[in-house]
Amino acid sequence: MATYNVYVLFFLLVFVCIQLITPSTCDGALTSGCIPAERRALLEFKRGLKDPTNRLSSWVGEDCCQWEGVTCSNHTGHVVKLDLQNPHPFSDFGDDPYNNWTLGGELRPSLLGLKHLKYLDLSMNNFGGINIPEFMGSFHQLQYLNLSSAGLGGVLPHQLANLSNLQYLDLSNDVSDILVHVNEFSIGDALWISHLSSLKHLILGNVNFQNGAHWLEALNMLPSIVEIYLSSCEIGSVPFSLPHVNFTSLSVLDLSYNSINSTIPSWLFNISSLEHLDLSENFFQGNIPPAFGNLTSLKGLTLANNPLQGGIPTSFRNLCKLQNLISSSINISKDLLEFDEIFSGCIKMSLESLNLSGTNISGQLPEWLFQLRKLKSLQLKGI
Ligand SMILES: *[C@@H]1O[C@H](CO)[C@@H](O)[C@H](O)[C@H]1NC(C)=O
Ligand SMILES: *[C@@H]1O[C@H](CO)[C@@H](O)[C@H](O)[C@H]1NC(C)=O
Ligand SMILES: *[C@@H]1O[C@H](CO)[C@@H](O)[C@H](O)[C@H]1NC(C)=O
Ligand SMILES: *[C@@H]1O[C@H](CO)[C@@H](O)[C@H](O)[C@H]1NC(C)=O
Ligand SMILES: *[C@@H]1O[C@H](CO)[C@@H](O)[C@H](O)[C@H]1NC(C)=O
Ligand SMILES: *[C@@H]1O[C@H](CO)[C@@H](O)[C@H](O)[C@H]1NC(C)=O
Ligand SMILES: *[C@@H]1O[C@H](CO)[C@@H](O)[C@H](O)[C@H]1NC(C)=O
Ligand SMILES: *[C@@H]1O[C@H](CO)[C@@H](O)[C@H](O)[C@H]1NC(C)=O
Ligand SMILES: *[C@@H]1O[C@H](CO)[C@@H](O)[C@H](O)[C@H]1NC(C)=O
Ligand SMILES: *[C@@H]1O[C@H](CO)[C@@H](O)[C@H](O)[C@H]1NC(C)=O
Ligand SMILES: *[C@@H]1O[C@H](CO)[C@@H](O)[C@H](O)[C@H]1NC(C)=O
């Protein structure tokens, strides 16, 4: 037995030594310097770009792994990351709307020469409204794709369905500041999204859903999805029910600013993993459903600016993790005392901010308010 173990140890040592002496020689890669074919692919891609401030001036010489925005694997030498995000997306020159740090021009298919690409960020540039090239669907290793505010447009290409390793997809517009160039995408028939079986984070804010189809079915088929941001997508309506609610890992759902004119859909209440839900700035009608009390993982809930009426259901007392409740500008007519039953529940241990401004609540400051141990921010009617 002992001899046998010594042999095993010997072979293990030999194996480790071989690994140490010949780092990744099997695919001809070196740990310094880049792979010539990938260097050529990058140079050809650069030729298609417009680069007014010469951001890519470092793209000369042999070692493409040292070029601005390019990262190679230490292990294989392959280019694994290309980050060409505009570092100065907002004009440095006052209100100058023609920010010249943006890259533009064409997106040449030579990029496909980077067969091991895992991360691609072209955000905050301006490609003049061209479509996402279909070849983008052929980066089989891609895990991260960020085309937010890149001045792209058109219907999203279904070829992206082949990105089976994709975990992050961001096609949104950053509307947090005055932005120079934005995407103008429409979703089209979204069934292809259901093939993105590794997708965890989907950010489609400002993508137009008006003539979209199958998007909710498609999202409901993503087994790993954790975050869905669909703010300002002109969604208009959502089905009240679904045949089966598949979202088992969904933590964040943002449906704000969509002019959704319907009652709050029932399928939401089957997503027990939900931590942050934003339904604000829509036309959700009717009463606030008591079923919210079933979403016991909720940490943040925003219902602001909807023509909802009635009151806050008593079941909210069960939301033991809720930190932020924004129920402003909804049609509540109540005496503050009437909320006693809610805010004496376990919600009182977690609530950090409460916004009921713009509602029709009345009465004196009630006792329960002083029991909200973690409260940091409070906004009541007219205050
Ligand atoms: C970038 O734009 C600013 C303001 O419009 C201008 O002063 C500057 O010369 C431009 N730089 C280049 C390299 O074009
Ligand atoms: C490669 O090695 C460098 C320096 O040794 C290190 O800073 C970098 O994080 C490594 N990159 C990757 C992708 O592991
Ligand atoms: C995409 O890039 C923008 C800025 O260019 C950034 O704000 C955003 O967080 C990125 N998206 C993801 C999913 O990392
Ligand atoms: C997508 O995958 C299918 C099947 O694997 C293949 O036939 C097709 O060419 C791929 N499309 C792209 C854009 O890579
Ligand atoms: C639920 O998800 C599974 C696995 O992704 C899928 O096969 C099934 O069709 C989905 N069901 C519905 C109703 O979308
Ligand atoms: C929602 O959950 C309830 C209770 O667990 C279950 O009976 C019902 O079938 C679910 N509905 C959907 C649409 O998944
Ligand atoms: C919502 O839909 C109803 C019924 O279809 C309609 O009467 C109402 O005008 C719509 N409201 C808005 C704000 O679109
Ligand atoms: C909410 O939970 C209750 C009790 O667990 C259950 O009977 C009810 O079906 C749930 N409602 C929804 C909409 O899931
Ligand atoms: C409370 O809600 C109102 C109206 O929706 C909003 O204007 C205000 O900024 C909110 N207050 C806080 C502290 O978030
Ligand atoms: C507010 O709700 C009451 C009933 O609770 C209803 O009579 C009234 O019309 C609503 N007001 C608005 C502006 O929706
Ligand atoms: C506000 O509530 C009071 C009584 O609670 C009611 O008389 C009044 O009509 C309500 N105002 C609005 C705008 O709903």
Side-chain angles (χ1 to χ4, degrees):
M1 270 317 234
T3 344
Y4 176 75
N5 278 337
V6 168
Y7 276 118
V8 170
L9 190 62
F10 175 75
F11 281 115
L12 266 177
L13 276 174
V14 169
F15 181 72
V16 167
C17 288
I18 288 171
Q19 286 287 302
L20 283 175
I21 296 162
T22 59
S24 34
T25 41
C26 31
D27 55 4
L30 300 170
T31 43
S32 66
C34 75
I35 291 165
E38 297 190 351
R39 181 177 170 276
R40 284 194 298 275
L42 284 165
L43 283 177
E44 175 59 16
F45 180 67
K46 185 191 175 187
R47 256 174 237 126
L49 294 176
K50 286 187 195 142
D51 178 12
T53 47
N54 208 7
R55 272 171 59 193
L56 305 184
S57 58
S58 65
W59 286 34
V60 290
E62 290 304 310
D63 188 1
C64 68
C65 297
Q66 304 297 322
W67 295 356
E68 179 69 31
V70 179
T71 306
C72 298
S73 158
N74 286 342
H75 192 60
T76 65
H78 287 293
V79 175
V80 288
K81 178 169 171 177
L82 185 58
D83 179 358
L84 298 180
Q85 178 181 139
N86 181 353
H88 303 289
F90 305 109
S91 182
D92 296 334
F93 307 98
D95 290 332
D96 174 15
Y98 300 103
N99 181 335
N100 50 19
W101 281 86
T102 57
L103 297 175
E106 299 169 48
L107 296 170
R108 294 201 175 166
S110 70
L111 203 59
L112 277 185
L114 310 178
K115 290 194 171 49
H116 299 264
L117 202 62
K118 289 189 173 139
Y119 184 109
L120 178 59
D121 186 346
L122 300 174
S123 63
M124 301 288 189
N125 289 300
N126 178 21
F127 292 98
I130 60 172
N131 292 359
I132 297 178
E134 292 173 3
F135 72 76
M136 288 270 182
S138 304
F139 288 110
H140 297 296
Q141 312 245 5
L142 207 62
Q143 294 172 1
Y144 179 99
L145 179 58
N146 195 340
L147 302 177
S148 91
S149 308
L152 294 161
V155 178
L156 302 180
H158 62 87
Q159 285 81 0
L160 296 181
N162 278 18
L163 299 175
S164 57
N165 287 306
L166 201 65
Q167 293 177 21
Y168 293 81
L169 178 60
D170 189 343
L171 304 175
S172 66
N173 287 324
D174 184 332
V175 288
S176 64
D177 208 332
I178 313 154
L179 191 76
V180 191
H181 307 292
V182 293
N183 294 323
E184 291 189 4
F185 291 128
S186 53
I187 187 103
D189 187 330
L191 210 51
W192 61 269
I193 294 180
S194 65
H195 296 281
L196 301 175
S197 54
S198 304
L199 200 64
K200 292 195 170 111
H201 309 269
L202 179 64
I203 301 118
L204 297 181
N206 283 96
V207 172
N208 192 322
F209 278 52
Q210 259 179 333
N211 296 313
H214 301 123
W215 62 270
L216 189 54
E217 291 103 298
L219 300 186
N220 193 27
M221 282 191 245
L222 298 174
S224 318
I225 196 79
V226 174
E227 299 186 314
I228 299 176
Y229 291 91
L230 304 178
S231 186
S232 308
C233 293
E234 302 190 43
I235 286 174
S237 69
V238 285
F240 181 70
S241 59
L242 289 173
H244 184 259
V245 178
N246 245 351
F247 297 113
T248 49
S249 46
L250 190 64
S251 165
V252 179
L253 179 61
D254 182 354
L255 291 171
S256 61
Y257 292 91
N258 276 305
S259 306
I260 299 172
N261 181 5
S262 46
T263 49
I264 293 180
S266 67
W267 50 266
L268 282 179
F269 304 110
N270 279 60
I271 312 176
S272 55
S273 51
L274 215 50
E275 294 184 2
H276 297 275
L277 177 62
D278 191 343
L279 300 178
S280 64
E281 310 286 344
N282 284 295
F283 297 114
F284 284 117
Q285 306 142 20
N287 292 327
I288 301 177
F292 271 111
N294 286 24
L295 297 178
T296 51
S297 302
L298 270 186
K299 292 180 180 162
L301 175 62
T302 305
L303 299 171
N305 282 299
N306 281 289
L308 290 162
Q309 31 177 287
I312 298 176
T314 312
S315 63
F316 272 53
R317 61 181 281 118
N318 303 329
L319 300 178
C320 307
K321 293 181 179 161
L322 196 66
Q323 293 166 352
N324 304 302
L325 176 58
I326 306 177
S327 293
S328 51
S329 304
I330 59 180
N331 185 6
I332 302 175
S333 301
K334 273 223 154 73
D335 191 298
L336 279 171
L337 279 176
E338 292 181 49
F339 292 122
D340 179 59
E341 209 184 330
I342 298 168
F343 293 108
S344 62
C346 67
I347 190 177
K348 76 177 178 196
M349 305 309 285
S350 58
L351 205 62
E352 291 177 11
S353 76
L354 176 62
N355 190 344
L356 293 171
S357 74
T359 61
N360 189 18
I361 51 171
S362 55
Q364 296 177 328
L365 288 188
E367 192 78 12
W368 57 259
L369 207 49
F370 303 99
Q371 301 192 358
L372 302 177
R373 293 297 163 80
K374 294 198 172 151
L375 201 65
K376 291 176 194 151
S377 158
L378 174 67
Q379 199 156 355
L380 299 175
K381 180 199 170 196
I383 299 176

